[in-house]
Amino acid sequence: MNVLYSCLKPFRQHDGDRVDSVNGNGSGSNSNNSYLVREAKGGLLWCRDLGKFGSGEFSMAVVQANQILEDQSQIESGPFGTFVGVYDGHGGPEAARYVCDHLYRHFQVAAEMQGNVTTETIERAVQLTEEGFTAYVSELWSTRPNIATVGTCCLIGVICQQTLFVANLGDSRVVLGKKVGNTGVTAAIQLSREHNANLEEVRQELRELHPNDPQIVILRHGVWRVKGIIQVSRSIGDVYMKHSRYNQEPINAKYRLPEPMNMPILTGNPSVISHPLHPNDSFLIFASDGLWEHLSNEKAVDIVHSHPRAGSAKRLIKAALQEAAKKREMRYSDLKKIDKKVRRHFHDDITVIVLFLNHDLISRVTVQDPPLSIRSDLEHL
C-alpha cells in the first residue's frame, strides 16, 4: 500500500484507464514515454520523466488531490517556438480545460498575424480565451449557472528567438535556475508576478483600483481574500466577479456580493515580462501554487540542480508531499494512502513542468525538430 505501482507502458489516446499524451510524430519513443503511476488507494500521479522539445529537454508531472483534477497543463513546440501552459483551476475543472483547449490556438493565430511573438501576441491570446469562456458561460447560464463561479489561474511561458516571455494570472509561478559563474551554485530567480491577496502589493493594487470600496479585501481566518471570497485578483473565468449579470441568483449565495457591482472586481489581464535567455540560464520550473505552498524557490531549484534530469518534476512533487505530510505530523507513506478529495485537506492538485535549456538549440534561427504537442490529463481515469 505504501509503494507506488511500477510505471506502466505508454498510453494510447483515451483508452480506458490511459492518458492521451502524444509526441511530435504521434508515436512512442524511448525519450518521450508517458507513464501513469497509481498509488494504492486512489491517489494519482501522471508523469513524463524526460522528453525532448525544440529548445532542450523537459520533465512533467501532475498529482491529483481533488475529486476531479482541476489542474491542466501543456507543452507545444511549433514555428513560433515553445509554448508552456499551467492552468490551476478552482471551483471546478471547466475553466482550466477550456483554456487548455483554446489558448494555444489563439496564440498561434495572433503570432501568425503579427509574424512574430511579442507581449501583445500573448495578451491578445489571453483576451480571446477570456472572451470565449465568458461566451461559454453565457450559453450555459440558464441550465448550469454555477459555471459562472468557475475560474483558473493561468501561467504561460513562450521561448522564441532566444527570449523567454512569461505571462501570469493568479498565483502559479515560474522560477529560473541560473548558474552563478563557475562556482557550481545555481541561484533561484522568480520570473513571474503573482496575484494573490495575501501579498501586500496586490492588496494595495486592489485598493487603488477600488478607492471607494473599503471591503475590497477582507481578512478572514488569517487569509486575505478579494471581497472575502477569493484569493487571486486575476484569472480567466470567475465571471461572477467580473460581470454583474452573473452575480445574482441562482448562483450560490456565498458568491453573491451584498452591493451592486459597478465595475469588475477581478481582471483577466495578465502580467507579462520578457527575459533574454543567457548561457547561464540552466532550467525553468513552471508549477501551480500547490508546489510553492510547500517548497521555497531555493529548495525547488536545489532539488532539480542536485539530481539527474530524468524524473525532476516527479521528484519535486514528492518533496512537496513529504513537506505536506510533515506539517500534519504524519508519515509520507500514510499520506499516500489517503483517497482523492479527502486528500485535498492535506495538499492541492500539483502540476510541475521543468524545462532544461539547450542554448545551442535556442540560438538556432529556425525550428528544425518536428512539432511537439503534449497535454497532461487525468480526466479519463
Side-chain angles (χ1 to χ4, degrees):
M1 295 282 291
N2 295 344
V3 182
L4 294 176
Y5 282 104
S6 60
C7 286
L8 304 180
K9 60 186 179 181
F11 310 106
R12 300 171 194 165
Q13 187 169 359
H14 296 201
D15 183 12
D17 276 355
R18 297 177 179 177
V19 178
D20 61 314
S21 293
V22 183
N23 63 14
N25 57 14
S27 62
S29 69
N30 291 333
S31 62
N32 273 333
N33 282 343
S34 296
Y35 299 105
L36 171 68
V37 183
R38 283 178 184 262
E39 294 180 15
K41 192 179 178 182
L44 292 172
L45 174 68
W46 179 94
C47 63
R48 178 70 71 91
D49 277 347
L50 195 65
K52 295 181 179 180
F53 72 104
S55 301
E57 295 179 312
F58 72 89
S59 180
M60 191 174 186
V62 181
V63 68
Q64 181 174 351
N66 288 291
Q67 179 65 36
I68 299 175
L69 181 73
E70 295 183 344
D71 278 13
Q72 295 284 305
S73 57
Q74 64 188 138
I75 303 176
E76 311 281 348
S77 281
F80 295 101
T82 296
F83 178 101
V84 175
V86 172
Y87 317 120
D88 181 4
H90 47 262
E94 292 87 354
R97 291 177 183 174
Y98 183 93
V99 173
C100 205
D101 287 339
H102 295 84
L103 178 57
Y104 180 63
R105 297 176 190 173
H106 290 313
F107 167 78
Q108 287 179 300
V109 171
E112 287 171 0
M113 290 182 63
Q114 288 193 309
N116 60 357
V117 177
T118 65
T119 295
E120 291 73 23
T121 304
I122 300 171
E123 289 175 337
R124 178 60 175 163
V126 171
Q127 178 188 356
L128 290 172
T129 306
E130 168 82 342
E131 291 173 355
F133 187 74
T134 302
Y136 177 63
V137 171
S138 179
E139 292 173 7
L140 296 178
W141 174 246
S142 60
T143 56
R144 293 179 57 197
N146 284 327
I147 194 74
T149 65
V150 176
T152 186
C153 300
C154 182
L155 175 62
I156 304 164
V158 179
I159 298 175
C160 183
Q161 297 180 348
Q162 302 182 60
T163 299
L164 168 69
F165 295 89
V166 173
N168 193 44
L169 300 100
D171 52 11
S172 296
R173 185 185 306 174
V174 59
V175 174
L176 168 68
K178 188 180 186 69
K179 297 177 183 176
V180 181
N182 296 319
T183 64
V185 175
T186 299
I189 301 173
Q190 183 172 328
L191 297 180
S192 56
R193 181 193 171 203
E194 294 172 35
H195 312 112
N196 188 305
N198 279 312
L199 300 173
E200 173 58 34
E201 63 183 70
V202 173
R203 296 197 296 275
Q204 186 59 34
E205 178 182 68
L206 286 165
R207 289 173 181 134
E208 291 174 358
L209 291 171
H210 305 271
N212 299 319
D213 187 354
Q215 301 295 309
I216 187 63
V217 286
I218 300 173
L219 182 64
R220 288 184 177 171
H221 308 295
V223 178
W224 286 97
R225 297 181 184 274
V226 183
K227 300 301 291 182
I229 299 173
I230 188 171
Q231 285 185 258
V232 295
S233 62
R234 304 192 192 192
S235 68
I236 291 180
D238 295 308
V239 300
Y240 75 105
M241 292 285 267
K242 298 173 180 177
H243 304 279
S244 58
R245 64 169 290 199
Y246 301 112
N247 199 282
Q248 57 183 312
E249 292 184 342
I251 69 169
N252 193 300
K254 67 181 181 180
Y255 298 114
R256 299 201 297 267
L257 300 177
E259 68 282 340
M261 186 189 303
N262 298 319
M263 63 179 293
I265 305 297
L266 304 186
T267 176
N269 299 324
S271 294
V272 187
I273 64 100
S274 62
H275 170 81
L277 291 169
H278 300 284
N280 282 356
D281 295 341
S282 182
F283 57 82
L284 297 159
I285 304 172
F286 294 81
S288 56
D289 75 313
L291 182 81
W292 308 113
E293 179 183 356
H294 301 292
L295 296 183
S296 66
N297 296 347
E298 292 74 19
K299 179 64 174 177
V301 165
D302 182 63
I303 290 171
V304 175
H305 170 67
S306 303
H307 293 86
R309 290 185 174 186
S312 291
K314 183 171 60 179
R315 196 173 292 116
L316 286 170
I317 286 179
K318 180 179 179 180
L321 297 186
Q322 288 174 329
E323 288 298 317
K326 187 184 301 182
K327 290 175 183 177
R328 302 300 287 269
E329 298 182 346
M330 64 189 302
R331 295 180 299 181
Y332 170 63
S333 58
D334 291 332
L335 174 62
K336 293 194 298 179
K337 298 176 187 178
I338 298 174
D339 205 351
K340 59 184 178 181
K341 187 176 182 181
V342 177
R343 186 164 323 171
R344 182 60 184 89
H345 297 291
F346 297 85
H347 69 86
D348 198 356
D349 297 333
I350 303 175
T351 294
V352 179
I353 298 174
V354 183
L355 298 186
F356 296 97
L357 303 175
N358 182 322
H359 291 276
D360 290 335
L361 297 177
I362 291 172
S363 62
R364 294 184 313 189
V365 177
T366 59
V367 177
Q368 299 175 359
D369 290 347
L372 169 75
S373 181
I374 179 172
R375 171 173 171 170
S376 64
D377 186 4
L378 296 175
E379 173 186 351
H380 302 283
L381 300 174

